Amino acid sequence: KEFVPVYNEIIHRGTGADVVKFSLYSGLAFYLYNEASFLALERLSPVTHSVANTLKRVVIIVASSIVFKTPISLLGGIGSGIAVLGTLLYSLAKQKYSKKKSH
């Protein structure tokens, strides 16, 4: 949609304050997410952080599918499965090779 008709509808319904309020909440949530991400990145390797981020996205997709009762397509399910499997394999490989280095 174009901006002007949407803006006019917001003004007509009197929901402008809600739009501002939820935009601020959204901005605050994103800021806190970025802060947490940087704190995690300080303690994790970049690859581990990336793998954790991928797993987080899968969890969000599955959780939102359950909450909003939206079915996941076959391709989406396969992609989520590959992401979870990749995370598992990465964790197992990291665990195996970190044991070898400590011996």
Side-chain angles (χ1 to χ4, degrees), residues 54 58 61-62 71-87:
T54 299
V58 171
I61 290 168
V62 171
I72 296 177
S73 69
L74 176 63
L75 189 60
I78 290 170
S80 295
I82 289 171
V84 170
L85 179 65
T87 302

Side-chain angles (χ1 to χ4, degrees), residues 13 16 18 22 24 27 41 43 50 63 68 70 72 74 80 82-83:
R13 291 184 183 211
D18 287 339
F22 290 122
L24 289 173
L41 189 55
R43 296 171 187 218
S50 178
F68 299 116
T70 305
I72 296 177
L74 176 63
S80 295
I82 289 171

